[in-house]
Amino acid sequence: MHPSLTPPRQVGIDDAASFVGITPHAISDYHKTGLLPEPARGSDDRRRYGHEDMIRLLWIHKMVDAGIAPDDIHDAFADAAPAGSSSGHDDAVVQCMRTPEGKMGLLSDFVTDRLKGLPEGLLRQADVDNLLVMERIFGPLGAAVNAGRYIALATHPGLREESDRVDAAEEALDDTVAVDDPRVAQVAAKRHALELVLDAVVEDSGLAQSDEALFDSWGALHPVTAAEGEDGAGQDAGRGEKRVSLIEAIGMMPYDYSPARLRCMELVQELAAHESTAS
């Protein structure tokens, strides 16, 4: 994988703030108020933010924008309170924000509407976290299209189980595994095979056709004028917040991927390219 397309394992406060769309001062305030735990510090004694830190930061920003009280945001991330205790906060809000379905409501309406038909409990927190990141990078339309993947996984238990196995195999490609270890290519082949099956499920279930309708609906709701051009396409609808580009995001959104796992991802891309050429 080209160095410029390799995500960092951790980022500093400036990149973290840029990715989320806030200021470093706002992040410092979240630390002071206890909403965001202090992250690890680098050799320069400056804060370094990992993937989980960034996911929490993105949710905090969403909750603040939604007008949720700081105490309720804190409780939503905290462990369940001991039986019989009462903080005096809005317990309904706190409990709702602890569920994937509750946090789903903080995503844009365009994404939420795509997921409304799913029975409660089928959507995982990791699914919603991923959609949150996608919405930040690709906007509501991009996240809504990608939601089809999670709908397919949620409604096909066997596919979800296979996806979990492949995820676990990828996570096992840690720093102890060499990039030329045979397991890297084996896991890449499994990921590629899974993606082919997933694409077929999306196509056969009608989700692909729904994607076409999404594009039509988005175009009708958010026509891009000549004056807006690319700048208009780069805004989050309804908020006027500038999105980050994919290239920018690669440098600002951390993922703790080992060289072996990055090589695996590269092999998956090569297999997909070969498949496309062959067809």
Side-chain angles (χ1 to χ4, degrees):
M1 185 171 290
H2 193 279
S4 64
L5 299 179
T6 302
R9 289 190 162 189
Q10 294 178 317
V11 296
I13 194 170
D14 289 337
D15 281 342
S18 294
F19 182 80
V20 176
I22 56 179
T23 65
H25 180 73
I27 295 180
S28 295
D29 282 346
Y30 294 157
H31 288 307
K32 290 176 183 177
T33 57
L35 290 180
L36 186 66
E38 282 287 341
R41 290 181 180 263
S43 57
D44 57 0
D45 199 36
R46 295 189 178 187
R47 296 183 178 110
R48 306 294 297 173
Y49 298 86
H51 184 75
E52 295 304 318
D53 298 317
M54 291 295 291
I55 293 296
R56 177 159 176 156
L57 186 53
L58 284 165
W59 283 123
I60 290 171
H61 183 44
K62 282 282 190 180
M63 292 180 189
V64 169
D65 272 3
I68 298 175
D71 285 346
D72 290 333
I73 296 175
H74 182 276
D75 284 359
F77 285 109
D79 294 333
S85 67
S86 176
S87 62
H89 303 159
D90 190 335
D91 291 339
V93 169
V94 171
Q95 292 304 319
C96 185
M97 289 301 100
R98 283 178 173 170
T99 67
E101 288 75 19
K103 286 185 177 177
M104 184 181 76
L106 293 173
L107 300 175
S108 68
D109 292 342
F110 211 66
V111 180
T112 302
D113 287 345
R114 185 86 195 275
L115 298 167
K116 277 183 178 177
L118 282 177
E120 186 172 350
L122 288 185
L123 200 65
R124 293 183 178 180
Q125 184 58 56
D127 299 339
V128 188
D129 290 344
N130 289 333
L131 288 171
L132 174 70
V133 175
M134 290 177 187
E135 187 179 272
R136 179 69 186 121
I137 300 172
F138 301 111
L141 176 59
V145 170
N146 274 282
R149 173 189 182 89
Y150 301 106
I151 295 172
L153 289 172
T155 54
H156 294 77
L159 190 60
R160 173 72 90 174
E161 290 173 4
E162 178 60 19
S163 178
D164 288 344
R165 285 191 288 269
V166 174
D167 287 345
E170 287 179 339
E171 290 172 5
L173 299 177
D174 57 22
D175 287 317
T176 66
V177 180
V179 294
D180 58 354
D181 189 297
R183 286 174 291 177
V184 176
Q186 291 167 4
V187 175
K190 291 178 180 178
R191 170 59 69 186
H192 176 61
L194 173 66
E195 293 300 322
L196 291 178
V197 174
L198 184 54
D199 288 345
V201 168
V202 169
E203 185 69 32
D204 294 343
S205 63
L207 289 168
Q209 288 75 14
S210 297
D211 287 346
E212 295 177 7
L214 281 174
F215 282 101
D216 292 339
S217 298
W218 182 263
L221 291 171
H222 307 285
V224 178
T225 66
E228 289 173 337
E230 292 183 0
D231 287 339
Q235 300 287 338
D236 278 341
R239 292 186 52 187
E241 184 177 280
K242 187 72 175 180
R243 297 200 309 268
V244 294
S245 70
L246 179 58
I247 297 299
E248 290 172 327
I250 289 173
M252 294 187 293
M253 182 63 194
Y255 289 88
D256 192 16
Y257 292 161
S258 68
R261 187 163 182 181
L262 290 171
R263 177 55 181 158
C264 178
M265 294 167 63
E266 191 175 54
L267 289 174
V268 173
Q269 293 172 356
E270 292 175 3
L271 288 169
H274 179 74
E275 185 84 23
S276 177
T277 302
S279 60

